[in-house]
Amino acid sequence: MAITVVTVRRPEDDVSYLRATLKGMALTFGHLFRKKVTMQYPEQKSDDTWEISTRWRGTHRMLTDEQGRAKCVACGLCPQVCPANCIKLVPGEDEEGNRYPLIYEIDEFRCVFCGYCQEVCPEEAIHVGVHYENAEYERERFVYDLERLCAQTHPVSTLWDPSDPKGE
Amino acid sequence: MTPELKGFVLLSLIKIVVVFSVMMVGVMMVIWMERRVSAWKQDRLGPNRVGPQGLLQSVADGIKNFAKEDVIPEQANKLLFVVAPALSFIPAMLTFAVIPVAAPLPVDFDFTVPILGQFVHSGPMPMMIADLPIGMLFIVAVGSLSVYGIVLAGWSSANKYSLLGGLRASAQMVSYEVALGFSFVGVLMLAGNVTLPEIVAHQQDSVWFVFALTLGFILFFVSNLAETNRLPFDLPETESELVTGFHTEYSSMKFAMFFMAEYTHIITGSALVATLFLGGWDIPFTSWDSGDPTVLKSLLTLAFFAMKTLFFIYVFIWIRWTLPRFRFDQLMQLGWKFMLPVLLAYILILGATVLVLDSIGWSSGLPYGAALFVMNAVLVYIVFFILDNNRLLLGRTHRKVGT
């Protein structure tokens, strides 16, 4: 079987090493004066080309009612749906028969931030938040209890809406 | 010792200290400059946190390197392993000793110190550490020594990647030493002298050699790139194949030493190109600077020299962040099959031209320079445009195959 040699005839500009070099040098020189894309993080958290998405799923937040109590009715759906098994819920009941959470803890280390808890919640109580600065000095601090979840103030995630996939 | 000799020794010591400190600070600044410029070329900002505009970043890095653990491999040749970084660093510093950085400075003093005796100096002091009568030859001799540092570092590490890096470095530097040597033969031919002050003086009388020896200038710059192991010729380092080549096993300040050596090489290389081809400390369009020495003259010419050097440092960085690395056979082909024959032919043509110009009585001045410039322009056109279309630069990748 004969070996076929394919000779590619490229235009002169692509072939010449010298011209390619000069072109490249001109390009890199031009980049010196372009607008820089670096965002200087601690001082600058968003700019006109980028800001954090409203669909961001960060650390949780529990919404509260007018009296400042957690909206949660301790139905038990969120620990049920949680794939990482990071929600600990002990339900309680007051004398009027209203259910409320005695203990509600989320281990943010175990959490995979899927957002199922927000999706499944019938009372729109537990939410994942648009928030990413979670540093702590101790590991224990990453288990958020009910009080801490209620005290969060950052905006909550809008999650992904199948009827509006591009978020318009 | 006579008082004059003592005055000379004192001045030399002061110059050594000043040049050394300026070089060290310069190296730090060049490292910062390289990082900032490379960042800008990639639309980033680069280090801008430590000190104003990040100027002190290199200081922080230096402190970090001093604090790091200094690892010496068990199989390594301890002595050579320790000596190698210094060996690569010292030649780069030494070269600077013979480069005149400014117009001579008038220094007159006559004082007596109780134990040491009388110190006398009068008249202009050359602004270089050593006004050696062998100038350029000294630079070539010392320049070739810097390969030892890299080869010994590669060999003593007892690591195959380091060894390969060292071998490549030696092959590359020995090859380009030839091209480097031939490419400034033109300078010696025109200046008629090997001392750098004379070369600078000759450029003040006629034209800068970048115009009279354009082709020689380009080839000198390219071989200078290869000599300093900068991209596109940094084959001793090649991360993709050799980890980091000869300094793979180095850590802590020894590693930083190689970096300092590289950047010192860049500074001296740039200063050398500026001296040989851009008129050194000459201020263009005026002959004021070559008259009687004054302090103001020295300072102004120093500023001009710094600007020229800085320009070439920038070009070094610019090239590094634009061009990809050569393959090793391409590198050798460029050195031996392209640069060497071209340079030999160039020396021949240049010699003939100088002979012809001499016989019609032109040996300096503007028409002399213009004639040489025209000759060079034609040669540059022939070499880089006519030959390039046949892709001589690319080596054997291009073959005319009958269809």
Side-chain angles (χ1 to χ4, degrees), chain A residues 118-162:
Chain A
Q118 174 174 351
E119 231 168 281
V120 82
C121 185
E123 298 292 321
E124 299 197 341
I126 189 70
H127 286 81
V128 278
V130 185
H131 181 67
Y132 52 89
E133 288 162 319
N134 327 310
E136 294 286 353
Y137 286 103
E138 288 142 35
R139 294 183 74 86
E140 292 72 39
R141 296 271 297 152
F142 279 96
V143 179
Y144 289 10
D145 58 10
L146 186 61
E147 196 184 339
R148 181 140 173 229
L149 287 167
C150 291
Q152 304 290 325
T153 53
H154 52 73
V156 296
S157 173
T158 56
L159 290 185
W160 181 69
D161 184 0

Coordinates of all heavy atoms in Angstrom, one line a residue, chain A residues 118-162:
Chain A
Q118 N -35.1 23.6 50.1 CA -35.9 24.7 49.8 C -37.0 24.3 48.8 O -38.2 24.8 49.0 CB -35.0 25.8 49.1 CG -35.8 27.0 48.6 CD -34.9 28.1 48.1 OE1 -33.7 28.0 48.2 NE2 -35.5 29.1 47.4
E119 N -36.7 23.4 47.9 CA -37.7 23.1 46.9 C -38.9 22.3 47.6 O -40.1 22.5 47.2 CB -37.1 22.2 45.9 CG -37.3 22.6 44.5 CD -36.5 21.9 43.5 OE1 -35.3 22.3 43.4 OE2 -36.9 20.9 42.9
V120 N -38.5 21.5 48.6 CA -39.6 20.6 49.1 C -40.4 21.3 50.3 O -41.4 20.8 50.6 CB -38.9 19.3 49.6 CG1 -38.3 19.5 51.0 CG2 -39.9 18.1 49.6
C121 N -39.9 22.4 50.8 CA -40.5 23.0 52.0 C -41.9 23.5 51.7 O -42.0 24.4 50.8 CB -39.6 24.1 52.5 SG -40.2 24.8 54.1
P122 N -42.9 23.0 52.3 CA -44.3 23.5 52.0 C -44.6 24.9 52.6 O -45.4 25.6 52.1 CB -45.2 22.5 52.7 CG -44.4 21.9 53.8 CD -42.9 22.0 53.4
E123 N -43.8 25.3 53.6 CA -44.0 26.6 54.2 C -43.1 27.7 53.7 O -43.1 28.8 54.2 CB -43.8 26.5 55.8 CG -44.8 25.5 56.4 CD -46.2 26.0 56.4 OE1 -46.4 27.3 56.6 OE2 -47.2 25.2 56.1
E124 N -42.2 27.4 52.7 CA -41.2 28.3 52.3 C -40.4 28.8 53.4 O -40.2 30.0 53.6 CB -41.8 29.4 51.4 CG -42.4 28.8 50.2 CD -42.7 29.9 49.1 OE1 -42.7 31.1 49.4 OE2 -42.9 29.5 48.0
A125 N -40.0 27.9 54.3 CA -39.3 28.3 55.5 C -37.8 28.2 55.3 O -37.0 29.2 55.4 CB -39.7 27.5 56.7
I126 N -37.3 27.0 55.0 CA -35.8 26.9 54.8 C -35.4 27.2 53.4 O -36.1 26.9 52.4 CB -35.4 25.4 55.2 CG1 -33.8 25.3 55.2 CG2 -35.9 24.4 54.3 CD1 -33.2 26.0 56.4
H127 N -34.3 28.0 53.3 CA -33.8 28.4 52.0 C -32.3 28.2 51.9 O -31.7 28.3 52.9 CB -34.2 29.9 51.7 CG -35.6 30.2 51.4 ND1 -36.6 30.3 52.4 CD2 -36.2 30.3 50.2 CE1 -37.7 30.5 51.8 NE2 -37.6 30.6 50.5
V128 N -31.8 28.0 50.7 CA -30.4 28.2 50.5 C -30.2 29.6 50.1 O -31.0 30.2 49.4 CB -29.8 27.2 49.4 CG1 -29.5 25.9 50.0 CG2 -30.7 27.1 48.2
G129 N -29.0 30.2 50.5 CA -28.9 31.7 50.3 C -27.8 32.1 49.3 O -27.0 31.3 48.9
V130 N -28.0 33.3 48.8 CA -27.0 33.8 47.9 C -25.8 34.4 48.7 O -25.8 35.6 49.1 CB -27.6 34.9 47.0 CG1 -26.6 35.4 46.0 CG2 -28.8 34.4 46.3
H131 N -24.9 33.6 49.1 CA -23.9 34.0 50.1 C -22.8 33.0 50.0 O -23.0 31.8 49.9 CB -24.6 33.9 51.5 CG -23.6 34.3 52.6 ND1 -23.2 35.6 52.7 CD2 -23.1 33.6 53.6 CE1 -22.4 35.7 53.8 NE2 -22.3 34.5 54.3
Y132 N -21.5 33.5 50.1 CA -20.4 32.5 49.9 C -19.2 32.8 50.9 O -18.2 32.1 50.8 CB -19.9 32.6 48.5 CG -19.5 33.9 47.9 CD1 -18.3 34.5 48.1 CD2 -20.5 34.7 47.3 CE1 -18.0 35.7 47.7 CE2 -20.2 36.0 46.8 CZ -18.9 36.5 47.0 OH -18.6 37.7 46.6
E133 N -19.4 33.7 51.8 CA -18.3 34.0 52.7 C -18.5 33.4 54.0 O -19.1 34.0 54.9 CB -18.0 35.5 52.8 CG -17.5 36.1 51.5 CD -17.6 37.6 51.4 OE1 -18.7 38.1 51.8 OE2 -16.7 38.2 51.0
N134 N -18.2 32.1 54.2 CA -18.6 31.3 55.3 C -17.4 30.9 56.3 O -17.5 30.0 57.0 CB -19.2 30.0 54.9 CG -20.0 30.1 53.7 OD1 -20.8 31.1 53.5 ND2 -19.8 29.3 52.7
A135 N -16.3 31.6 56.2 CA -15.1 31.1 56.9 C -15.4 31.2 58.4 O -16.1 32.1 58.9 CB -13.9 32.0 56.6
E136 N -14.9 30.2 59.2 CA -15.0 30.1 60.6 C -13.7 29.7 61.2 O -12.8 29.2 60.5 CB -16.1 29.1 61.0 CG -17.5 29.4 60.6 CD -18.1 30.5 61.4 OE1 -17.5 30.9 62.4 OE2 -19.2 30.9 61.1
Y137 N -13.5 30.0 62.5 CA -12.3 29.6 63.1 C -12.3 28.2 63.7 O -11.3 27.6 64.0 CB -11.9 30.6 64.2 CG -11.3 31.9 63.7 CD1 -12.1 33.0 63.6 CD2 -10.1 31.9 63.1 CE1 -11.6 34.2 63.1 CE2 -9.6 33.1 62.6 CZ -10.4 34.2 62.6 OH -9.9 35.4 62.0
E138 N -13.5 27.6 63.9 CA -13.7 26.3 64.5 C -14.6 25.4 63.7 O -15.6 25.9 63.1 CB -14.3 26.4 65.9 CG -13.3 26.9 66.9 CD -14.0 27.9 67.9 OE1 -15.1 27.6 68.3 OE2 -13.4 28.9 68.3
R139 N -14.3 24.1 63.7 CA -15.2 23.2 62.9 C -16.6 23.2 63.4 O -17.6 23.2 62.6 CB -14.6 21.8 63.0 CG -13.3 21.6 62.3 CD -12.9 20.2 62.4 NE -13.6 19.4 61.4 CZ -13.3 19.2 60.2 NH1 -12.2 19.8 59.7 NH2 -14.0 18.5 59.3
E140 N -16.8 23.3 64.7 CA -18.1 23.2 65.3 C -19.0 24.3 64.8 O -20.2 24.1 64.8 CB -18.0 23.2 66.9 CG -17.4 22.0 67.5 CD -15.9 22.0 67.3 OE1 -15.2 23.1 67.3 OE2 -15.3 20.9 67.0
R141 N -18.4 25.4 64.5 CA -19.2 26.6 64.1 C -20.0 26.3 62.8 O -20.8 27.1 62.4 CB -18.4 27.8 64.0 CG -17.7 28.2 65.3 CD -18.6 29.2 66.0 NE -18.8 30.4 65.3 CZ -19.9 31.2 65.4 NH1 -20.9 30.8 66.2 NH2 -20.0 32.3 64.6
F142 N -19.6 25.2 62.1 CA -20.2 25.0 60.8 C -21.6 24.2 60.9 O -22.2 24.0 59.9 CB -19.3 24.2 59.9 CG -18.3 25.2 59.2 CD1 -17.0 25.3 59.7 CD2 -18.7 25.9 58.1 CE1 -16.2 26.2 59.1 CE2 -17.8 26.8 57.5 CZ -16.5 26.9 58.0
V143 N -21.9 23.8 62.2 CA -23.2 23.3 62.4 C -24.1 24.4 62.8 O -24.0 24.9 63.9 CB -23.2 22.2 63.5 CG1 -24.6 21.6 63.7 CG2 -22.3 21.1 63.1
Y144 N -25.0 24.8 61.9 CA -25.8 26.0 62.1 C -27.1 25.5 62.9 O -27.8 24.7 62.4 CB -26.3 26.7 60.8 CG -25.2 27.4 60.0 CD1 -23.8 27.3 60.4 CD2 -25.5 28.2 59.0 CE1 -22.9 28.0 59.7 CE2 -24.5 28.9 58.3 CZ -23.2 28.7 58.6 OH -22.2 29.4 57.9
D145 N -27.4 26.2 64.0 CA -28.6 25.8 64.7 C -29.7 26.8 64.3 O -29.5 27.7 63.5 CB -28.4 25.9 66.3 CG -27.9 27.2 66.7 OD1 -27.9 28.2 65.9 OD2 -27.5 27.3 67.9
L146 N -30.9 26.5 64.9 CA -32.1 27.3 64.4 C -31.9 28.8 64.6 O -32.3 29.5 63.7 CB -33.3 26.7 65.2 CG -34.6 27.3 64.7 CD1 -34.9 26.9 63.3 CD2 -35.8 26.8 65.6
E147 N -31.4 29.1 65.7 CA -31.2 30.6 66.0 C -30.4 31.2 65.0 O -30.7 32.3 64.5 CB -30.6 30.7 67.4 CG -30.7 32.1 68.0 CD -30.0 32.1 69.4 OE1 -29.7 31.0 70.0 OE2 -29.6 33.2 69.8
R148 N -29.3 30.5 64.6 CA -28.3 31.1 63.7 C -29.0 31.2 62.3 O -28.8 32.1 61.5 CB -27.1 30.3 63.7 CG -26.0 30.8 62.7 CD -24.6 30.7 63.3 NE -23.6 31.1 62.3 CZ -22.6 30.4 62.1 NH1 -22.4 29.2 62.7 NH2 -21.7 30.8 61.2
L149 N -29.7 30.1 61.9 CA -30.4 30.1 60.6 C -31.4 31.2 60.5 O -31.5 31.8 59.4 CB -31.1 28.8 60.4 CG -30.1 27.6 60.1 CD1 -30.9 26.3 60.2 CD2 -29.5 27.7 58.8
C150 N -32.1 31.5 61.6 CA -33.0 32.6 61.5 C -32.4 34.0 61.5 O -32.9 34.9 61.0 CB -34.0 32.6 62.8 SG -35.0 31.1 62.7
A151 N -31.1 34.0 62.0 CA -30.5 35.3 62.1 C -29.8 35.8 60.8 O -29.4 36.9 60.7 CB -29.4 35.3 63.3
Q152 N -29.7 34.8 59.9 CA -29.1 35.2 58.6 C -29.9 36.2 57.9 O -31.2 36.2 57.9 CB -28.9 34.0 57.7 CG -28.2 32.8 58.3 CD -26.7 33.1 58.5 OE1 -26.1 33.8 57.7 NE2 -26.1 32.6 59.6
T153 N -29.3 37.2 57.2 CA -30.0 38.2 56.5 C -29.8 38.3 55.0 O -30.3 39.1 54.3 CB -29.6 39.6 57.1 OG1 -28.2 39.7 57.0 CG2 -30.1 39.8 58.5
H154 N -28.9 37.4 54.5 CA -28.5 37.5 53.1 C -29.7 37.1 52.2 O -30.6 36.4 52.7 CB -27.3 36.7 52.8 CG -27.4 35.2 53.2 ND1 -28.2 34.3 52.6 CD2 -26.8 34.6 54.3 CE1 -28.1 33.2 53.3 NE2 -27.2 33.3 54.3
P155 N -29.8 37.5 50.9 CA -30.9 37.1 50.1 C -30.9 35.6 49.8 O -29.9 35.0 49.9 CB -30.6 37.9 48.8 CG -29.2 38.3 48.8 CD -28.8 38.4 50.2
V156 N -32.2 35.1 49.6 CA -32.3 33.7 49.4 C -32.3 33.4 47.9 O -32.6 34.2 47.0 CB -33.6 33.2 50.0 CG1 -33.5 33.4 51.5 CG2 -34.8 33.8 49.4
S157 N -31.9 32.1 47.6 CA -31.8 31.7 46.2 C -33.1 31.6 45.5 O -34.1 31.3 46.2 CB -31.1 30.4 46.2 OG -31.1 29.8 44.9
T158 N -33.2 32.0 44.2 CA -34.4 31.8 43.5 C -34.5 30.4 42.9 O -35.6 30.0 42.3 CB -34.5 32.8 42.3 OG1 -33.3 32.6 41.5 CG2 -34.5 34.2 42.9
L159 N -33.5 29.6 43.0 CA -33.4 28.3 42.4 C -33.7 28.3 40.9 O -33.8 29.4 40.3 CB -34.4 27.3 43.1 CG -34.0 26.9 44.6 CD1 -35.0 25.9 45.1 CD2 -32.6 26.4 44.7
W160 N -33.7 27.1 40.4 CA -33.8 27.1 38.9 C -35.3 26.8 38.6 O -35.9 25.8 39.1 CB -32.9 26.0 38.4 CG -33.0 25.8 36.9 CD1 -32.5 26.7 36.0 CD2 -33.5 24.7 36.2 NE1 -32.8 26.2 34.7 CE2 -33.4 25.0 34.8 CE3 -34.1 23.5 36.5 CZ2 -33.8 24.1 33.8 CZ3 -34.5 22.7 35.5 CH2 -34.4 23.0 34.2
D161 N -35.8 27.6 37.7 CA -37.2 27.4 37.3 C -37.3 26.7 36.0 O -36.8 27.2 35.0 CB -37.9 28.8 37.3 CG -39.4 28.7 37.0 OD1 -39.9 27.5 36.9 OD2 -40.0 29.7 36.9
P162 N -37.9 25.5 35.9 CA -37.9 24.8 34.6 C -38.7 25.5 33.6 O -38.3 25.4 32.4 CB -38.6 23.4 35.0 CG -38.6 23.3 36.4 CD -38.5 24.7 37.0

